[in-house]
């Protein structure tokens, strides 16, 4: 039996263990907005990683619950590494599990944060465990970074991810698959957030309206300019998501603001829309515009390195006698960051549905095959550089 099929057989036996770990992680609520909540779930992960002979270090966060960095004890200094990335934070507030208790029903494990992405962490640990039990040491040592702020932009953990990516051969992202068919993600949109602030001149709306300069009127004009930047056919979207302004109905508005979400597939479009938004100018006399923000997640474009990783995944899937597909995701992940530096394959986590939705679930019958696919990728020889 070759290593990949041996790992697959062992992981089929490990199905219930991975499901039980997923359930334990889901029950340990860890909203991104509550840094202290991360300690409990990180303790579970630290326990599991230590049990498979990984040295685990906690990287403290400034505004988040910090990250876990796990390195195999058998790794020799200076030997090549590959980076696995996952996150333990969720979008769900504390108390969600009381309202919707996690449970297993047939092949479905339902629970807040199960699909995005605690099952992916369980699968990753399962793959590493089985490789160790079979005495299969990858030629490129797997190093695992688990952060607690991915859902809010990875501002704390981003520098750690970039530092590790810069010295890694490739990155494998344990985010959930693309849809219930289990597609891997070979491209993701870049995401930007801007805040536009308009300052005007207050005046009494009845006595002296002509002496005022309405920040709301100017902002409404700017909203139309930003809407004109949309090009949905090429996947460029500019969405004014929220607006605020004014102080009272009988006062010409002296201030207003808008928060804008931008999504693009390419770096070229990112530069184009960023320049266009920064070039906006106030046209209403007496008003002043300021623009803050920019791209927090650059686009994850399909590259030669991504194509190489995808072909390896196809070969592993063929050995496992499973079918896989690739796709592009409109949302961003930490894979957007790693893809700027090294070949990256995303969506290697669980198959299921309902990320950020009340019906969130994981197909636990497919956890073994996904973990086996990951194990096969981990056993690949060094790619040798290039994104």
């Amino acid at each position: 039996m070759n290593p990949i099929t041996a790992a697959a057989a062992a992981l089929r036996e490990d199905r219930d263990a991975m499901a039980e770990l997923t359930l334990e992680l889901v029950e340990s609520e860890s909203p991104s907005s509550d840094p202290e909540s991360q300690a409990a779930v990180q303790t579970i992960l630290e326990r599991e990683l230590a049990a498979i002979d990984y040295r685990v270090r906690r990287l403290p966060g400034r505004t988040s619950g910090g990250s876990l960095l796990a390195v195999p004890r058998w790794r020799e200094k200076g030997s090549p590494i590959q980076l696995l990335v996952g996150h333990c934070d969720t979008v769900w507030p504390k108390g969600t599990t009381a309202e919707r208790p996690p449970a297993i029903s047939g092949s479905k494990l339902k629970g807040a944060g199960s699909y995005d992405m605690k099952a992916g962490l369980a699968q990753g640990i399962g793959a590493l465990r089985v490789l160790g039990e079979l005495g299969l040491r990858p030629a490129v040592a797997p190093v695992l970074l688990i952060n607690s702020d991915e859902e809010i932009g990875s501002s704390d953990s981003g520098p750690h991810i970039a530092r590790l990516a810069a010295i890694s051969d490739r990155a494998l992202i344990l985010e959930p698959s693309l849809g219930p068919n289990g597609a891997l993600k070979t491209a993701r949109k870049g995401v930007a957030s801007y805040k536009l602030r308009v300052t005007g001149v207050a005046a009494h709306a009845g006595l002296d309206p002509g002496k005022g300069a309405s920040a709301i009127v100017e902002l409404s004009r700017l909203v139309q300019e930003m809407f004109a930047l949309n090009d949905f056919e090429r996947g460029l979207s500019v969405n004014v998501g929220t607006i605020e302004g004014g102080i009272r109905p009988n006062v010409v508005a002296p201030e207003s603001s808008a928060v804008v979400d931008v999504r693009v597939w390419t770096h070229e479009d990112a530069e184009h829309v960023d320049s266009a938004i920064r070039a906006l100018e106030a046209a209403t006399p007496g008003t002043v515009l300021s623009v803050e923000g920019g791209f927090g997640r650059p686009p994850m474009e399909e590259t030669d390195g991504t194509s190489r990783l995808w072909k390896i995944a196809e070969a592993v899937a063929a050995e496992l006698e499973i079918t896989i597909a690739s796709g592009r995701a409109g949302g961003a992940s930490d894979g957007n960051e790693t893809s700027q530096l090294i070949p990256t394959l995303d969506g290697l986590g669980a198959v299921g549905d309902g990320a950020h939705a009340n019906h969130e679930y994981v197909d636990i019958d497919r956890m073994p095959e996904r973990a086996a696919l990951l194990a096969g990728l981990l056993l690949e020889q060094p790619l040798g550089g290039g994104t």
Side-chain angles (χ1 to χ4, degrees):
M1 187 179 293
N2 70 32
I4 294 175
T5 52
L11 283 160
R12 284 192 290 273
E13 297 295 320
D14 213 27
R15 170 193 178 274
D16 290 347
M18 288 189 288
E20 289 169 7
L21 176 56
T22 301
L23 202 58
E24 184 179 8
L25 293 172
V26 171
E27 288 170 343
S28 183
E29 295 180 300
S30 50
S32 314
S33 57
D34 184 357
E36 292 183 357
S37 73
Q38 307 300 326
V41 73
Q42 288 173 351
T43 296
I44 297 169
L45 293 164
E46 191 170 12
R47 177 197 73 201
E48 294 294 316
L49 289 162
I52 60 172
D53 205 28
Y54 269 64
R55 183 174 62 254
V56 184
R57 183 157 61 101
R58 295 203 182 199
L59 307 175
R62 296 165 300 159
T63 58
S64 73
S67 302
L68 294 181
L69 176 61
V71 181
R73 293 187 181 277
W74 49 262
R75 183 200 173 226
E76 296 181 2
K77 187 175 181 180
S79 61
I81 65 172
Q82 55 187 317
L83 181 60
L84 281 74
V85 183
H87 65 88
C88 59
D89 62 316
T90 76
V91 300
W92 301 103
K94 276 196 166 183
T96 302
T97 56
E99 296 173 3
R100 292 187 282 112
I104 295 176
S105 176
S107 65
K108 287 186 176 182
L109 188 158
K110 300 179 181 178
S114 56
Y115 180 55
D116 188 13
M117 57 154 285
K118 290 179 175 179
L121 297 176
Q123 289 174 189
I125 292 171
L128 296 172
R129 178 191 301 116
V130 161
L131 290 179
E133 290 173 350
L134 294 174
L136 299 170
R137 288 190 176 179
V140 186
V143 170
L144 176 61
L145 188 286
I146 303 173
N147 62 356
S148 65
D149 62 344
E150 191 276 341
E151 295 288 6
I152 52 175
S154 302
S155 59
D156 248 4
S157 59
H160 296 305
I161 293 170
R163 173 178 59 83
L164 290 164
I167 58 172
S168 298
D169 180 75
R170 55 188 178 257
L172 305 173
I173 312 299
L174 302 178
E175 287 280 342
S177 66
L178 185 60
N181 292 327
L184 304 186
K185 301 164 185 176
T186 53
R188 282 182 176 271
K189 281 189 175 182
V191 180
S193 179
Y194 297 90
K195 186 160 190 175
L196 276 65
R197 300 178 190 271
V198 179
T199 302
V201 178
H204 194 291
L207 299 177
D208 297 303
K211 293 183 178 180
S214 175
I216 288 178
V217 169
E218 176 56 29
L219 181 62
S220 67
R221 189 192 65 79
L222 291 166
V223 167
Q224 295 303 312
E225 284 199 33
M226 286 185 287
F227 182 78
L229 295 172
N230 281 293
D231 189 335
F232 299 134
E233 288 188 2
R234 58 196 276 189
L236 191 163
S237 63
V238 180
N239 181 62
V240 180
T242 62
I243 57 174
E244 296 178 344
I247 52 177
R248 293 181 63 85
N250 61 350
V251 179
V252 176
E255 57 190 33
S256 65
S257 63
V259 178
V260 186
D261 178 275
V262 175
R263 311 243 168 180
V264 296
W265 285 120
T266 68
H267 289 85
E268 181 181 356
D269 281 348
E271 292 174 4
H272 162 70
V273 74
D274 183 73
S275 296
I277 290 177
R278 295 189 188 283
L280 292 171
E281 295 181 349
T284 302
T287 62
V288 177
L289 168 67
S290 68
V291 178
E292 304 169 2
F295 275 85
R297 302 278 200 187
M300 175 183 169
E301 295 192 62
E302 296 180 10
T303 64
D304 290 343
T306 303
S307 297
R308 279 185 287 162
L309 269 181
W310 167 246
K311 289 176 182 176
I312 294 167
E314 283 188 306
V316 172
E319 289 199 54
L320 295 170
E321 298 182 345
I322 62 174
T323 301
I324 60 171
S326 65
R328 305 196 300 170
S333 80
D334 291 320
N336 289 58
E337 301 297 335
T338 61
S339 70
Q340 311 305 307
L341 299 168
I342 50 175
T344 297
L345 195 58
D346 203 336
L348 287 160
V351 177
D353 197 20
H356 301 189
N358 288 343
H359 70 282
E360 184 173 6
Y361 75 89
V362 169
D363 185 344
I364 58 178
D365 283 347
R366 297 192 65 179
M367 291 183 77
E369 73 177 49
R370 300 295 285 194
L373 177 64
L374 176 63
L377 285 162
L378 292 172
L379 290 172
E380 183 63 23
Q381 294 297 310
L383 296 180
T387 57

